[in-house]
Amino acid sequence: MRELVFALEYEPGCNRVADTLADHPDARVRSLSLHATDERLWRVDHAVGSPDALDDVEDAFLNSDYYADCLATDDCGATQTTRVLDHTDDTLVLYSDWERTPACASVPHIARDHLGDGVLFETRHEGRHYTWRIIHPGEGDVAAFFDALGAAVGDCARMEMLRTADTSASAGGTDGGAGGLSPEQEAALRAAVEHGYYESPREVDVGNLADHLDVPRSTLTYRLRRAEEQLAKRYVAGERLTDGASAPL
């Protein structure tokens, strides 16, 4: 089995949920379950954030022309039902059931076309960045998948490859750059270190660093956050391996 991780960075006005999350940097949405057949897609999503953020996220799901994961830029005529399963001050759980039309396209359906039927999906949505983790048999055509996805996304989003690896690989083994980071993440991390972002006190803030790299502030924040997450997980995994190796039999 193979793991494929990439992100879609939506342009303003292209995705109502992305626009809402961009207005609420404290909020994020992740999938608890996501399934697709040729004709349908249904999923359960878990959102966290401030009460105001969750109210706006709920409104984006329930009261806009938003179909779960549909990439069609025009009215696709799909039928979707979204229900609120739970809504507290800091948690929102939503169920979406989407019946597609021939005009519809989505990451799961494109993946099924090019990567095979035995595909698993996990998503995380923060700001304008929609990260997908796909587990697939490894027998499909990944290049054709990205070509088809790029055609479906068009100018609405930019794609960024984050990781591709064998799921049986060790915690440190990936096909990415140093430490398993994508080239964009590695460049962001190197620039942050070189310009004193991690010094105390900081010698540069994220806004000035983003200007230096000529990327949006939200993009740089996302890349640094993902890079820090990867490095932290690998550090902890390495500690566990070391502790296990030194433990008495």
Side-chain angles (χ1 to χ4, degrees):
M1 300 294 286
R2 298 284 296 175
E3 177 190 39
L4 182 62
V5 184
F6 64 93
L8 299 176
E9 182 183 355
Y10 280 101
E11 295 294 331
C14 286
N15 183 292
R16 173 73 183 277
V17 173
D19 290 341
T20 301
L21 291 173
D23 291 337
H24 297 282
D26 64 307
R28 63 185 183 275
V29 181
R30 65 182 179 90
S31 61
L32 297 180
S33 182
L34 196 167
H35 305 275
T37 66
D38 287 340
E39 297 81 20
R40 306 181 75 91
L41 181 148
W42 60 99
R43 58 183 297 160
V44 177
D45 289 295
H46 178 272
V48 295
S50 67
D52 288 344
L54 295 182
D55 287 343
D56 288 349
V57 169
E58 179 180 332
D59 183 70
F61 271 86
L62 296 180
N63 301 315
S64 65
D65 294 330
Y66 175 78
Y67 303 103
D69 300 318
C70 186
L71 299 173
T73 55
D74 298 320
D75 184 7
C76 59
T79 300
Q80 173 167 308
T81 301
T82 299
R83 299 183 179 91
V84 176
L85 302 182
D86 188 29
H87 191 166
T88 65
D89 286 343
D90 57 4
T91 297
L92 173 66
V93 181
L94 296 155
Y95 168 82
S96 299
D97 178 20
W98 167 45
E99 185 175 355
R100 66 191 297 230
T101 68
C104 297
S106 73
V107 171
H109 290 110
I110 296 172
R112 283 170 54 87
D113 289 341
H114 296 283
L115 303 179
D117 290 334
V119 186
L120 302 175
F121 305 96
E122 182 181 64
T123 68
R124 177 170 51 197
H125 209 160
E126 299 174 86
R128 301 195 183 282
H129 296 269
Y130 195 10
T131 304
W132 285 82
R133 178 173 182 256
I134 298 178
I135 304 297
H136 61 100
E139 299 172 355
D141 190 335
V142 174
F145 163 72
F146 275 111
D147 286 344
L149 180 58
V153 170
D155 295 330
C156 275
R158 186 179 61 82
M159 292 189 296
E160 180 177 335
M161 172 65 75
L162 300 178
R163 184 169 68 255
T164 177
D166 193 307
T167 56
S168 62
S170 65
T174 71
D175 298 336
L181 305 181
S182 72
E184 293 84 359
Q185 290 171 346
E186 184 179 352
L189 198 62
R190 287 184 181 277
V193 172
E194 291 170 359
H195 289 270
Y197 177 75
Y198 291 108
E199 297 298 326
S200 182
R202 283 179 173 163
E203 297 174 4
V204 64
D205 62 25
V206 69
N208 289 333
L209 188 59
D211 290 340
H212 173 76
L213 295 174
D214 194 25
V215 298
R217 179 191 179 106
S218 62
T219 297
L220 178 61
T221 300
Y222 170 82
R223 290 175 179 173
L224 288 175
R225 187 181 300 166
R226 294 285 74 79
E228 292 161 0
E229 177 186 3
Q230 287 290 326
L231 296 177
K233 287 180 177 179
R234 293 180 190 283
Y235 177 81
V236 172
E239 275 197 332
R240 289 172 179 167
L241 289 174
T242 303
D243 291 344
S246 61
L249 297 176

